[in-house]
C-alpha cells in the first residue's frame, strides 16, 4: 500500500468510527463528549492535521483536502444529531407535560353584594310585600324639583338645611335627598292613588366624618290617596320596623320640621344593640334615628297635580348608610365607599 492509500484508509476509518459512535449518542451530555472526542484538539482527525508535516510535499494538499472533508462530514453529522435530540426532547416534553383536564380546577372566589345593596334589597323586599312599587328618579335634579316643588321657593331660608352641590348649569344641581322624586311620581300618576318607594344616591356638600358622607343613599316612601291618615303613616313605619329589625322592635315619632310635610316627625327605632337600655351606639338614649317623615304638605300635593281638598298622603325618607352602620355596628361610614376588600369580605 502506498503512503497515500494508508492515510486514506486511516481517514476513512476515523469517519466510519466517528459516525458509528454518533449513532449511539442519545443525550446532550453524550453529544458533547462525542464532540470533544471526535472533533476536539486531540481527536484523530485533528491528529491527521498535525502530522501533515511528516508527509511528502505532493501528498500534503490531497490529504489536507481529504481530512477537511472528513471533519466537515463529522461536523455536519454532529449538527444533525443535535437537532434530532432537541426535537426528541421537545416531543418528550409535549407527551409528558400534557394538559391534564382531569385535575380539579382552581376555585373561583365568589363575589357578594355590598352591605348597602344588601340592606337596600331587604328594604325593597319589605315594602314590596306591602304592595309598594319601586320608582327611580334622577340623581341630577332641577332646583324646582329639589326645592321649589317641595315648598321651598327661591331664597327660602329652609333651603339652607341642605348643603347643596350646584352645577355650572343654572337651575341644575345634585339632589340632596330623594324627596324630589315625590313630585315626579305624583305628576306621572295623578290622580291615581300612589304607593311607592324611591331608593337612590343623594349628595350633600358636607364635612366628611365618621357619620356623614358627601354621597349616601336614601329611600323615600310615598303614599297618596283619599283619606290617607297620620295613623297609617305610624302603622306602616311600625310594620316596616318589625319586619326590618325584628318582631320586638319599638318605634317612636318625635315632632320635627320639614317644609314639605305637615305635621312632620323624626322616626326612631329602639336601639337593637342595647335593647333600649342605653349604649354608645344610641348615645345612651335607647333610640336610633332612621329618618324624617310626615303628611305630604298641601302645596306639594298641588305641585304634584292632586287636589289637597280631596287627597292626602304621607312621606318618609330614610338614610340607608346610617341604618346599615347601626345594623352591623360599623364605626365609620367611610368604610362603605373606600373599596377595602378586607372590610367588604365581612358581609
Ligand atoms: C331628609 O333628607 C328629608 N328629605 C327626609 C324626609 C322625607 C322628611 C320625606 C319628610 C318626608 P334629612 O336631611 O334628615 O331629611 O336626612 C334623612 C336621613 O338621611 C338622615 O336621617 C340620615 O340617615 C341620612 N343622612 C343625612 N345626611 C347624611 C350624610 N351626610 N351622610 C349619611 N347619611 C345622611
Amino acid at each position: 500500500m502506498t503512503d497515500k492509500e494508508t492515510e486514506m484508509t486511516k481517514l476513512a476509518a476515523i469517519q466510519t468510527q466517528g459516525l458509528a459512535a454518533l449513532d449511539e449518542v442519545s443525550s446532550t451530555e453524550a453529544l458533547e463528549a462525542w464532540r470533544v472526542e471526535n472533533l476536539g484538539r486531540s481527536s484523530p482527525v485533528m491528529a491527521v492535521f498535525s502530522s501533515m508535516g511528516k508527509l511528502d510535499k505532493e501528498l500534503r494538499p490531497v490529504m489536507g483536502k481529504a481530512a477537511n472533508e472528513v471533519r466537515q462530514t463529522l461536523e455536519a453529522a454532529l449538527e444533525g444529531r443535535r437537532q434530532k435530540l432537541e426535537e426528541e426532547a421537545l416531543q418528550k416534553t409535549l407527551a409528558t407535560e400534557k394538559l391534564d383536564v382531569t385535575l380539579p380546577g382552581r376555585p373561583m372566589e365568589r363575589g357578594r353584594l355590598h352591605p348597602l345593596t344588601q340592606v337596600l334589597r331587604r328594604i325593597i323586599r319589605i315594602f314590596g310585600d306591602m304592595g309598594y312599587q319601586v320608582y327611580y328618579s334622577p340623581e341630577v335634579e332641577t332646583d324646582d324639583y329639589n326645592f321649589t316643588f317641595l315648598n321651598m321657593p327661591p331664597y327660602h331660608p329652609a333651603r339652607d338645611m341642605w348643603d347643596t352641590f350646584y352645577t355650572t348649569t343654572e337651575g341644575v344641581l345634585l339632589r340632596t335627598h330623594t324627596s324630589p322624586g315625590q313630585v315626579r311620581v305624583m305628576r306621572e300618576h295623578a290622580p291615581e292613588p300612589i304607593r311607592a318607594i324611591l331608593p337612590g344616591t343623594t349628595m350633600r356638600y358636607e364635612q366628611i366624618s365618621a357619620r356623614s358622607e358627601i354621597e349616601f343613599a336614601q329611600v323615600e316612601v310615598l303614599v297618596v290617596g283619599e283619606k290617607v291618615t297620620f295613623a297609617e303613616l305610624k302603622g306602616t313605619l311600625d310594620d316596616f320596623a318589625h319586619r326590618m329589625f325584628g318582631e320586638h322592635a319599638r318605634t317612636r315619632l318625635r315632632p320635627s320640621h320639614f317644609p314639605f310635610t305637615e305635621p312632620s316627625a323624626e322616626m326612631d327605632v329602639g336601639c337593637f344593640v342595647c335593647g333600649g337600655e342605653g349604649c354608645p351606639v344610641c348615645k345612651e338614649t335607647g333610640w336610633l334615628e332612621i329618618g324624617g317623615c310626615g303628611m305630604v304638605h298641601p302645596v306639594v300635593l298641588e305641585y304634584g297635580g292632586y287636589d289637597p281638598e280631596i287627597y292626602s298622603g304621607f312621606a318618609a325618607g330614610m338614610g340607608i348608610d346610617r341604618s346599615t352602620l347601626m345594623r352591623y355596628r360599623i364605626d365609620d361610614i367611610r368604610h362603605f365607599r373606600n373599596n377595602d376588600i378586607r372590610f367588604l369580605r365581612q358581609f
Side-chain angles (χ1 to χ4, degrees):
M1 243 200 280
T2 62
D3 277 357
K4 186 181 167 195
E5 280 167 349
T6 317
E7 290 301 318
M8 282 302 197
T9 314
K10 210 160 108 191
L11 269 176
I14 290 171
Q15 179 168 319
T16 315
Q17 279 164 18
L19 292 177
L22 191 60
D23 272 347
E24 305 296 316
V25 167
S26 61
S27 70
T28 45
E29 294 81 34
L31 190 68
E32 178 58 14
W34 181 91
R35 188 192 66 75
V36 173
E37 206 175 301
N38 292 274
L39 286 162
R41 247 188 246 163
S42 32
S43 60
V45 70
M46 287 307 182
V48 173
F49 283 113
S50 20
S51 61
M52 206 73 84
K54 293 181 202 150
L55 293 176
D56 287 346
K57 238 182 176 181
E58 309 83 66
L59 210 52
R60 279 183 214 160
V62 186
M63 285 315 295
K65 189 168 172 256
N68 239 339
E69 278 167 12
V70 170
R71 191 178 61 180
Q72 280 164 4
T73 305
L74 291 177
E75 277 173 356
L78 169 74
E79 198 44 44
R81 190 77 193 157
R82 191 193 309 281
Q83 280 175 12
K84 191 150 180 263
L85 282 177
E86 279 170 5
E87 175 65 16
E88 276 170 14
L90 178 66
Q91 290 307 330
K92 202 170 149 198
T93 315
L94 287 175
T96 52
E97 293 177 15
K98 249 195 272 177
L99 179 67
D100 183 353
V101 290
T102 65
L103 277 177
R106 292 206 184 100
M108 284 263 277
E109 203 171 333
R110 245 181 114 159
R112 63 198 87 199
L113 294 174
H114 191 281
L116 290 176
T117 308
Q118 291 183 29
V119 170
L120 176 61
R121 290 204 179 171
R122 202 180 146 94
I123 293 174
I124 290 176
R125 212 159 39 235
I126 290 171
F127 279 101
D129 287 347
M130 293 197 239
Y132 283 69
Q133 285 186 315
V134 181
Y135 190 99
Y136 292 96
S137 74
E139 292 173 3
V140 179
E141 259 301 0
T142 63
D143 185 284
D144 283 344
Y145 276 97
N146 200 79
F147 291 123
T148 309
F149 301 158
L150 292 175
N151 199 23
M152 287 177 274
Y155 305 110
H156 194 287
R159 288 184 170 210
D160 288 350
M161 282 165 69
W162 289 273
D163 300 298
T164 310
F165 283 113
Y166 290 93
T167 68
T168 46
T169 308
E170 178 81 26
V172 177
L173 45 80
L174 306 184
R175 68 173 174 189
T176 55
H177 48 175
T178 43
S179 299
Q182 288 185 25
V183 180
R184 289 190 177 272
V185 183
M186 285 193 244
R187 288 190 166 180
E188 210 169 284
H189 295 282
E192 298 297 321
I194 293 167
R195 214 189 279 165
I197 59 167
L198 300 98
T201 301
T202 51
M203 281 133 292
R204 291 186 195 176
Y205 183 50
E206 278 188 18
Q207 183 72 47
I208 298 176
S209 70
R211 280 177 53 78
S212 296
E213 262 286 7
I214 57 169
E215 181 192 331
F216 56 97
Q218 286 189 340
V219 179
E220 196 81 3
V221 183
L222 178 70
V223 172
V224 178
E226 289 182 45
K227 301 192 184 74
V228 174
T229 68
F230 199 93
E232 282 159 343
L233 164 62
K234 175 95 170 73
T236 304
L237 294 177
D238 272 350
D239 196 11
F240 167 72
H242 293 155
R243 293 176 193 229
M244 182 78 188
F245 303 112
E247 226 179 290
H248 303 294
R250 293 171 307 135
T251 57
R252 162 176 102 164
L253 294 178
R254 272 180 297 121
S256 185
H257 169 73
F258 293 100
F260 35 91
T261 45
E262 180 59 36
S264 304
E266 297 288 348
M267 299 180 277
D268 293 345
V269 287
C271 180
F272 38 78
V273 177
C274 63
E277 282 175 16
C279 71
V281 174
C282 61
K283 297 201 198 105
E284 308 299 333
T285 62
W287 296 95
L288 296 167
E289 182 188 312
I290 58 167
C293 63
M295 299 306 290
V296 181
H297 197 285
V299 169
V300 180
L301 283 172
E302 267 176 0
Y303 272 120
Y306 289 83
D307 180 353
E309 296 296 327
I310 305 169
Y311 297 95
S312 56
F314 68 74
M318 294 181 276
I320 298 181
D321 297 58
R322 291 221 186 122
S323 305
T324 311
L325 284 185
M326 292 189 279
R327 192 180 153 77
Y328 295 110
R329 295 186 219 173
I330 298 164
D331 60 1
D332 199 315
I333 198 168
R334 289 167 286 202
H335 288 310
F336 288 140
R337 289 178 179 78
N338 71 7
N339 283 338
D340 186 336
I341 203 81
R342 290 168 305 174
F343 169 76
L344 296 171
R345 273 215 180 100
Q346 300 174 65
F347 300 93

